[in-house]
Amino acid sequence: CGKGVSMKSETVVLLTGGSSGIGQCTARYLAEAGCRVYELSRRDSSQPGIIHLTCDVTREEQVQAAVKTVAEREGRIDIVVNNAGFGISGAVEFTQTADAQRLLDVNFFGMVRVNRAVLPYMREAGRGRIVNLSSVAAVAPQPPSSSNDTAPRQSAHFQLFRMFTPLVFLFSRFFLLYF
């Protein structure tokens, strides 16, 4: 994790998928920069200076409850970082429909649920920032790692993202218009 950025100490950040990887590093970085960080994930994550709330972004009631908890404790939410997600390796023809649906439920609709829950609080405060993260595989195809005979094919993750790219940009524009 990097250092060197200073933010207002009263900045309240809600970050999804912060129990490992890029999300965990981002949560630590923001906490070290002086932000009050709430990390939402399914797995318990005990990190100094970061407040963990158990939340599965595929469960509407859990998202609503987590966002409400942060808003009630802090009086506002200044920044949302949608980081929760996972990828699928392999060619799309070998990807089970249930796996593809799970990917979209977490990576895309999880972001929609969080943003829908937080927007009323940001509108009431008259400010806020939403950052929606994605994988590099979403814009640059990664060869499947399962076998050599499928290597030339694009990954299922990439193909699924390309199908939903117009929706992602529609939602991104919508959120940027407000804040």
Side-chain angles (χ1 to χ4, degrees), residues 88-101 155-157 160:
I88 297 175
S89 293
V92 74
E93 66 262 34
F94 302 117
T95 301
Q96 297 297 312
T97 300
D99 294 337
Q101 288 173 327
S155 72
H157 184 91
L160 288 168

Side-chain angles (χ1 to χ4, degrees), residues 24-87:
Q24 184 179 55
C25 187
T26 303
R28 263 191 264 147
Y29 182 82
L30 291 168
E32 289 171 4
C35 296
R36 190 138 167 89
V37 179
Y38 285 83
E39 180 272 322
L40 278 56
S41 61
R42 292 175 297 139
R43 290 189 301 263
D44 189 20
S45 177
S46 179
Q47 302 175 65
I50 298 167
I51 302 158
H52 170 75
L53 298 175
T54 301
C55 178
D56 182 342
V57 296
T58 68
R59 306 280 308 272
E60 184 79 37
E61 68 282 358
Q62 289 184 20
V63 171
Q64 291 290 336
V67 169
K68 183 178 180 182
T69 296
V70 175
E72 286 178 350
R73 285 184 189 176
E74 302 295 335
R76 70 187 187 290
I77 299 171
D78 299 310
I79 300 172
V80 172
V81 179
N82 284 299
N83 175 70
F86 70 98

